[in-house]
């Protein structure tokens, strides 16, 4: 920003949590045409010229942040611009059946073939259940076993085909 007129160099950097675009005359611009305070879902390190959307896997819960608030909670995933550690459809979501999300997840991770997971908000791969004996689980991300084994064949727990 440049205080006053005719300055050969900028006066200083914009304050943390704020951004200064062309023509800013103060470190915390009140005129939206010259900058402003970063809003929930974004952050502004000192000297920012534009807000930075909150990084995927992280959330930015309040206005005026210079860094993200923290990592997305286990059992949830946060997309770019998330405003909460436990999103529900906007800025991410809870992990769906067949998937798990460790702390700081930016997307769901599927349970591998041979496993299924009927519940939501699983926090790690240990929540994935072995495919039930007599059934098979032939793909990843299953909420339930794919089907029953063909009569005359043996399918122990964890069967993939």
């Amino acid at each position: 920003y440049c205080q006053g007129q005719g300055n050969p160099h900028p006066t200083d950097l914009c304050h943390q949590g704020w951004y200064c675009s062309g023509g800013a005359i103060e470190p915390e611009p009140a005129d939206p045409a010259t900058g402003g305070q970063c809003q929930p879902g974004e952050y502004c390190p000192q000297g920012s010229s534009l807000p930075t959307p909150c990084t995927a896997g992280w959330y930015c819960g309040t206005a005026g942040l210079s860094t993200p608030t923290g990592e997305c909670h286990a059992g949830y995933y946060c997309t770019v611009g998330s405003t909460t550690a436990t999103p529900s459809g906007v800025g991410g979501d809870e992990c769906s059946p067949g998937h798990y999300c460790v702390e700081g997840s930016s997307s769901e991770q599927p349970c591998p073939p041979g496993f299924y997971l009927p519940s939501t908000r699983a926090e790690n791969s240990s929540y994935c259940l072995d495919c039930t004996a007599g059934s098979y689980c032939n793909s990843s991300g299953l909420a339930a076993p794919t089907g029953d084994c063909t009569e005359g064949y043996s399918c122990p727990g964890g069967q993939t085909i």
Side-chain angles (χ1 to χ4, degrees):
Y1 72 95
C2 293
Q3 275 185 330
Q5 295 180 354
N7 296 334
H9 303 288
T11 305
D12 204 354
L13 298 173
C14 223
H15 287 171
Q16 293 180 5
W18 295 78
Y19 65 97
C20 296
S21 52
I25 59 171
E26 54 192 348
E28 297 178 0
D31 179 356
T34 63
Q37 187 177 42
C38 285
Q39 297 302 302
E42 55 194 30
Y43 66 99
C44 296
Q46 183 179 19
S48 294
S49 59
L50 290 171
T52 301
C54 206
T55 309
W58 295 76
Y59 72 100
C60 297
T62 60
L65 295 173
S66 61
T67 61
T69 305
E71 290 185 295
C72 196
H73 286 185
Y76 295 83
Y77 64 94
C78 295
T79 56
V80 171
S82 184
T83 60
T84 176
T86 56
S88 58
V90 176
D93 211 340
E94 64 182 24
C95 282
S96 62
H99 299 81
Y100 63 92
C101 299
V102 298
E103 183 180 38
S105 289
S106 59
S107 63
E108 299 179 300
Q109 297 301 309
C111 291
F115 294 86
Y116 73 103
L117 178 61
S119 60
T120 60
R121 295 191 297 225
E123 298 179 0
N124 57 55
S125 63
S126 72
Y127 285 70
C128 301
L129 305 172
D130 278 333
C131 198
T132 310
S135 301
Y136 65 98
C137 299
N138 68 352
S139 61
S140 60
L142 294 175
T146 306
D148 293 331
C149 288
T150 305
E151 190 173 327
Y153 290 87
S154 172
C155 289
Q159 190 71 32
T160 59
I161 56 172

